[in-house]
C-alpha cells in the first residue's frame, strides 16, 4: 500500500459519559478517492462514527487519523452534509454557499467563482439569488451539497442526505453525486439506510451491527466505477443488492 | 372578491352601529348628565378648539415615547445578548429583571421625579422601563432557540463564538426581536402617557398628553379628554405601523410568517 490512508481508524471506541458502549473497537482504513457507505440497523452508531471523523465528538479510546492528523487538526479538509439541508433561511442560496469561505477570509472574487462552479455542479447555476424557502426539498439538498463542495474538502461526510426525498429525486441525486465525485476526487463517507443507494454509490460498503456498534463486514463493490441508470438493471448490481440485503437482515436478526 | 368586500363592510357596519348606540346613550341620559358622554361631533369640536395644545402635547408625548422605546430596543437587545451567553448569567439576572417589571410605575414615578426631575427625562425613562421587559424576554428566547442543526453546522466550520453570534444567533433571533418590538410599540405611547400623567410637567409649552389630560380634567373639558384618548390611540397606531413596516422589511424575503398561502 503505497498511498497512506486518508482516514484511518484503529480500535476506535466511543461511549457517551457513563452510558453504554456506542462503538466497539472499529478498525478501518480508507484510501483517497474511495466512496464508503455505512449501513446497518438503527442504533449501530453509523452517524456517531461520522461525527467522530468530523471531529464533532471525541473518541473515547483508540486512534483516529484524518489526513495523518487528528480530526480537529484536519478540520479544514472536512465537510459535512447533514440529514437536513440546514440552510440559513435569511441568506440567499449564493450567500449560503459563500458563508463558510467568507468566515475563513476568502476574497470576494474567489468566493464568487467557487459559488458559481459548485452551483453549476448541482445544476442550480441560475438560482443563486433565490431564498431557501423558494426551493423544493431536492433543490435544498443540492444547495447543501454545493455548500460542502465549496469548501473543497478532501473528505466529504454525508449523513443520510437523501433520506427524506422521494425515490426519483434520490436516484437523480445519486447519479449527480457520482459524477461530482468522479470529477473532484474527495473521499466520501456516506451513511444510508438504503442498500440500493449504498451499492450504487460505493467502492466499499461497511455493514455495521448494533449493541454495541461494530463493523460486521466490509464488502467491496466490484462494479465498474462509471455507473448510470443502466447499472441499476445489471445482473451484477442486482446480485450485490440482494447479497447485502441478505447480510443486513442476518445482522438485524442476530441483534434482536 | 365578495369576502374581501365583506371584510371592508363588516367593520364599517359595526362602527356605524357603535356610533348610533353612542348617540342613543347620549340622548337617553338626562340633559344635565349628558356631559358624561360627549357625542363624536362634540369631540371633533374639541379637536378644533384645542387643536394647537393637543398637537403640541402629542408631539411632546411622541418624543418621550420614541426616546424610551428606542432606548429600550437598543439596550434591551444588548441585554438579551448578554443574557444569552449562559444559563448562569440568565439565572443570575432574571430575578432582578422580574423585580424591575413587578415594581409598579406609579411607585417608580415619584422616585424618578426625585432623581432626575419631572418632565421629558422621567417620561422617557418610564417608557423605557415599560418597553424593556417584553423586548428582553422575547429577544433572549430567540437567541437561545437557534436551530440545533445550524449550530452543529457552525461547529463543523470551527467558527468562533463571535462569528456564531453575528452570523447565526442574531439573524435567527430577529423574528423574536420584532415580536418584542411590536409589543413594546403598543406599550410605548401608553407608557409615555402614564409617565407624563405621573411625572410630567409643562415643559415643551404645555407638557405631553398625560399632563394635558390632567388640565382638561380639572377644567371639566370632557370632550377634550376624549380627544386626548383618540390622539393617544393614533400615536399607538403610528408606532405599531412603523414597527410592522420595519419587520416586513427585515423578514418578508425569508421568514415563513410572510409566506403567502397561495404559493
Amino acid at each position: 500500500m503505497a498511498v497512506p490512508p486518508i482516514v484511518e481508524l484503529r480500535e476506535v471506541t466511543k461511549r457517551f459519559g457513563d452510558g453504554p458502549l456506542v462503538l466497539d473497537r472499529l478498525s478501518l482504513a480508507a484510501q483517497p478517492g474511495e466512496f464508503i457507505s455505512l449501513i446497518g440497523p438503527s442504533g449501530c452508531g453509523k452517524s456517531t462514527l461520522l461525527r467522530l471523523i468530523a471531529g464533532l465528538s471525541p473518541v473515547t479510546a483508540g486512534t483516529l487519523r484524518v489526513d495523518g492528523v487528528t480530526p480537529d487538526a484536519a478540520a479544514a479538509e472536512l465537510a459535512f452534509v447533514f440529514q437536513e439541508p440546514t440552510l440559513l433561511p435569511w441568506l440567499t442560496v449564493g450567500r449560503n454557499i459563500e458563508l463558510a469561505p467568507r468566515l475563513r477570509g476568502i476574497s470576494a472574487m474567489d468566493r464568487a467563482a467557487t459559488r458559481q462552479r459548485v452551483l453549476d455542479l448541482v445544476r442550480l447555476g441560475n438560482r443563486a439569488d433565490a431564498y431557501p424557502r423558494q426551493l423544493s426539498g431536492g433543490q435544498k439538498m443540492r444547495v447543501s451539497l454545493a455548500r460542502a463542495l465549496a469548501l473543497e474538502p478532501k473528505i466529504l461526510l454525508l449523513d443520510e442526505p437523501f433520506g427524506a426525498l422521494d425515490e426519483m429525486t434520490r436516484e437523480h441525486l445519486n447519479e449527480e453525486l457520482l459524477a461530482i465525485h468522479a470529477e473532484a476526487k474527495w473521499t466520501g463517507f456516506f451513511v444510508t439506510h438504503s442498500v440500493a443507494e449504498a451499492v450504487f454509490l460505493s467502492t466499499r460498503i461497511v455493514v455495521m451491527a448494533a449493541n454495541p456498534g461494530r463493523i460486521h463486514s466490509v464488502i467491496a463493490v466490484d462494479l465498474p466505477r462509471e455507473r448510470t441508470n443502466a447499472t441499476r438493471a445489471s445482473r451484477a448490481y442486482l446480485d450485490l443488492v440482494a447479497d447485502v440485503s441478505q447480510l443486513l437482515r442476518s445482522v438485524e436478526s442476530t441483534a434482536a | 372578491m365578495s369576502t374581501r368586500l365583506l371584510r371592508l363592510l363588516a367593520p364599517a357596519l359595526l362602527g356605524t352601529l357603535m356610533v348610533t348606540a353612542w348617540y342613543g346613550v347620549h340622548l337617553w341620559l338626562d340633559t344635565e348628565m349628558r356631559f358624561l358622554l360627549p357625542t363624536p361631533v362634540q369631540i371633533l369640536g374639541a379637536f378644533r378648539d384645542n387643536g394647537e395644545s393637543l398637537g403640541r402635547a402629542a408631539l411632546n408625548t411622541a418624543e418621550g415615547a420614541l426616546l424610551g422605546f428606542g432606548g429600550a430596543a437598543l439596550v434591551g437587545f444588548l441585554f438579551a445578548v448578554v443574557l444569552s451567553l449562559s444559563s448562569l448569567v440568565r439565572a443570575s439576572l432574571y430575578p432582578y429583571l422580574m423585580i424591575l417589571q413587578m415594581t409598579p410605575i406609579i411607585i417608580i414615578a415619584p422616585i424618578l421625579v426625585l432623581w432626575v426631575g419631572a418632565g421629558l427625562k422621567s417620561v422617557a425613562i418610564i417608557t423605557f422601563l415599560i418597553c424593556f421587559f417584553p423586548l428582553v424576554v422575547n429577544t433572549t428566547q430567540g437567541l437561545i432557540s437557534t436551530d440545533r442543526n445550524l449550530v452543529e453546522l457552525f461547529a463543523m466550520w470551527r467558527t468562533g463564538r463571535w462569528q456564531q453570534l453575528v452570523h447565526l444567533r442574531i439573524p435567527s433571533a430577529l423574528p423574536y426581536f420584532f415580536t418584542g418590538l411590536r409589543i413594546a410599540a403598543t406599550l410605548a405611547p401608553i407608557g409615555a402617557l402614564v409617565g407624563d400623567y405621573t411625572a410630567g410637567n409643562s415643559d415643551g409649552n404645555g407638557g405631553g398628553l398625560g399632563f394635558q389630560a390632567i388640565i382638561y380634567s380639572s377644567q371639566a373639558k370632557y370632550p377634550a379628554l376624549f380627544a386626548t384618548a383618540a390622539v393617544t390611540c393614533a400615536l399607538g397606531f403610528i408606532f405599531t405601523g412603523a414597527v410592522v413596516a420595519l419587520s416586513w422589511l427585515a423578514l418578508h424575503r425569508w421568514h415563513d410568517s410572510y409566506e403567502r398561502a397561495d404559493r
Side-chain angles (χ1 to χ4, degrees), chain B residues 16 62 64 76 85 91 114 118 151 197-198 247:
Chain B
T16 314
L85 292 179
L114 205 63
V151 173
Y197 195 89
T198 50
S247 163

Side-chain angles (χ1 to χ4, degrees), chain B residues 42-54:
Chain B
Q42 284 175 310
I43 295 168
L44 286 175
F47 270 111
R48 187 191 57 226
D49 298 338
N50 307 282
E52 208 186 326
S53 63
L54 267 175

